[in-house]
Amino acid sequence: MHNFLSIISEFTADLKAQKLRVFLTTFGIVWGTVALIVLVAFGMGFKKQMSANMHGIGESISIMFPGRTSKAYAGFGTGRGISFTEEDVAYLANRLPADIQSISPEYMNGGDLPVRVGENILTPTVTGIIPIYGQMRNIIPEAGGRFLNDNDLQSRRRVVVIGNRVKDFLFGQTDPIGRTILVGSTPFTVIGVMMKKTQPSSYHQRDQDRIFIPASTFAALFGATHLSNIIFKPYDLMRSEEVGTLVREALAAKYKYDPTDKDAVFIWDTAEFDKFQATFFFALNLFLGIIGGFTLGVGGIGVANIMFVVVQERIKEIGIKRAVGAKRANIIVQFFTETFFIMAIGSSIGFVIAFGIIQVLQMIPIKEYVGTPEFSLQVALIAMGVLSSIGLAAGLLPARRAANLDVIECLRT
């Protein structure tokens, strides 16, 4: 305890003797800390927003569309149409149970059927699906409503979940739950409204402009036998491409087409974007961290410089301490401690300023475009890691120089 108080006292005296140099050095640490934290926080916020935007359509799902063969195979020519049925969904689930986590059929009526409430009429896409579809496509009902369930499917109920924009147009500010809408001339009961979400991409129409009914009800109402598409989600994101190949091969065995014919069955693998995003944002955050680290490194050079000056001014003191029994380790600890005091003061101020800047930036309406910076545990750990590295580097050379000074030369000086 006495040694610690002694170090504090000597450190305070050094600060008073080098006020301008200490101020400029501390300012460099403050500026570097702010730059590092804000830049990395911006990178994290941008990554999170981009992920939320992309996952509006669903997280790591693959959407499979029927096409036409472009390769001759087993006696069949090219141009043969491939179509999907609900049996294919069960077939794939049973054929690839270790690869496919969830799978759903999807029927669609392409926006030519009027949907009305009183005088309000829309022509949204009517979509027939099963309950798991909601989880796969991130269609979450607002409070007070629900999504389709197994009883709706088995009983072919005339119930509907509507997109939030459909709700706004048909019902305005009125609560639609339990109300009736006409799909063509068929009445349906509204059981849920999709919670608003960001969805920059879609394969037909944005979910906010669609309505969702049980697949069994859709098939009975429209006499549909062929699906518009099939959606599946692999267990392992990193194997999504491989699972897509296995799905093609399974369908090729059933429908007798070349399994390498990608025109026969087109698969939109949204996980490819996740893989790209992971690589891109790792590189971006690394780049931003390096920029912030270099800025902080300039402050570290200032700390090292001031410690070299301190060592030079306290040569005689160091000699006396060594002469009365102080070891090299004691001298190294002393100067290292003083270095980290400067780093701690500057970084603490920088943390406070950076936190304030991040809070202010979160009030600016830019989230939908580039996200907003987030002061997360990950950002704090990165900043602490860089600060510790800079502090170690800044204190090492001055501390070693002080510890290695010749005792006789120090006393003579």
Side-chain angles (χ1 to χ4, degrees):
M1 184 66 181
H2 176 74
N3 289 338
F4 180 74
L5 293 176
S6 176
I7 291 173
I8 293 292
S9 176
E10 292 170 355
F11 173 65
T12 304
D14 290 336
L15 291 183
K16 291 179 180 179
Q18 303 288 342
K19 292 180 182 178
L20 179 60
R21 186 180 284 112
V22 169
F23 171 77
L24 293 176
T25 300
T26 305
F27 179 79
I29 297 298
V30 171
W31 178 254
T33 303
V34 171
L36 175 66
I37 293 176
V38 172
L39 285 174
V40 175
F42 240 121
M44 296 293 182
F46 185 36
K47 176 183 178 180
K48 184 175 181 180
Q49 186 60 33
M50 285 293 291
S51 179
N53 289 349
M54 186 57 193
H55 291 161
I57 196 173
E59 188 169 352
S60 304
I61 60 172
S62 293
I63 304 127
M64 182 167 58
F65 302 93
R68 291 186 175 276
T69 59
S70 60
K71 297 180 181 181
Y73 182 79
F76 293 98
T78 60
R80 181 164 55 96
I82 303 297
S83 57
F84 300 148
T85 66
E86 288 195 50
E87 292 180 357
D88 295 328
V89 175
Y91 169 74
L92 290 172
N94 293 329
R95 183 82 176 249
L96 302 169
D99 300 297
I100 295 178
Q101 177 180 341
S102 51
I103 186 168
S104 171
E106 184 169 16
Y107 293 101
M108 283 190 287
N109 185 300
D112 56 358
L113 191 68
V115 174
R116 74 174 68 209
V117 174
E119 300 297 320
N120 299 327
I121 302 175
L122 276 178
T123 55
T125 298
V126 182
T127 307
I129 40 86
I130 63 176
I132 193 65
Y133 179 94
Q135 297 177 29
M136 297 176 69
R137 293 274 282 95
N138 282 336
I139 298 174
I140 303 170
E142 293 180 351
R146 67 173 178 86
F147 198 68
L148 305 174
N149 60 32
D150 290 334
N151 290 332
D152 299 328
L153 194 69
Q154 293 166 5
S155 303
R156 297 181 181 176
R157 291 175 178 169
R158 293 177 181 177
V159 291
V160 62
V161 175
I162 60 178
N164 54 290
R165 286 223 313 181
V166 173
K167 177 263 179 185
D168 291 340
F169 185 86
L170 295 180
F171 294 98
Q173 298 302 313
T174 305
D175 183 5
I177 304 300
R179 299 279 299 276
T180 299
I181 65 173
L182 292 177
V183 179
S185 58
T186 305
F188 278 76
T189 301
V190 178
I191 60 170
V193 177
M194 186 191 79
M195 187 181 297
K196 184 179 179 181
K197 65 177 180 178
T198 302
Q199 185 186 349
S201 61
S202 183
Y203 49 92
H204 188 75
Q205 190 177 35
R206 299 293 190 272
D207 295 337
Q208 63 188 4
D209 298 315
R210 299 166 72 177
I211 67 172
F212 305 90
I213 66 176
S216 56
T217 307
F218 187 103
L221 182 63
F222 298 108
T225 57
H226 294 105
L227 303 174
S228 298
N229 55 271
I230 294 174
I231 299 173
F232 65 89
K233 180 175 181 177
Y235 276 107
D236 186 354
L237 162 66
M238 303 311 295
R239 293 185 60 243
S240 61
E241 186 176 354
E242 180 185 344
V243 174
T245 300
L246 294 174
V247 167
R248 276 201 183 92
E249 291 174 352
L251 290 173
K254 180 178 181 180
Y255 288 109
K256 300 294 188 283
Y257 68 85
D258 189 329
T260 64
D261 188 353
K262 295 186 178 181
D263 292 323
V265 172
F266 172 75
I267 298 179
W268 177 16
D269 182 4
T270 64
E272 287 298 319
F273 181 81
D274 289 326
K275 296 173 187 175
F276 165 77
Q277 179 178 268
T279 303
F280 173 78
F281 280 106
F282 173 78
L284 176 64
N285 287 327
L286 180 62
F287 175 70
L288 294 177
I290 289 173
I291 292 177
F294 273 127
T295 306
L296 192 56
V298 173
I301 293 172
V303 174
N305 180 59
I306 195 173
M307 293 311 297
F308 271 120
V309 173
V310 168
V311 170
Q312 190 64 32
E313 292 179 346
R314 289 164 58 180
I315 286 178
K316 187 172 183 178
E317 174 195 328
I318 294 169
I320 293 172
K321 286 184 176 181
R322 291 293 309 281
V324 297
K327 298 179 180 179
R328 283 191 172 88
N330 300 124
I331 303 300
I332 289 177
V333 169
Q334 176 184 345
F335 284 94
F336 250 128
T337 303
E338 294 188 11
T339 299
F340 275 99
F341 270 132
I342 297 176
M343 294 291 296
I345 292 171
S347 61
S348 297
I349 297 172
F351 263 96
V352 173
I353 295 174
F355 183 79
I357 291 174
I358 290 171
Q359 294 304 307
V360 171
L361 288 173
Q362 288 179 347
M363 300 177 186
I364 302 174
I366 58 174
K367 182 176 181 180
E368 292 186 5
Y369 307 103
V370 295
T372 53
E374 294 188 355
F375 192 87
S376 63
L377 176 62
Q378 189 174 4
V379 172
L381 290 176
I382 290 173
M384 290 298 294
V386 174
L387 282 165
S388 298
S389 299
I390 296 295
L392 182 65
L396 182 60
L397 291 178
R400 287 189 62 183
R401 182 175 186 276
N404 291 330
L405 287 172
D406 183 80
V407 178
I408 303 301
E409 291 298 324
C410 290
L411 294 175
R412 186 175 296 165
T413 301

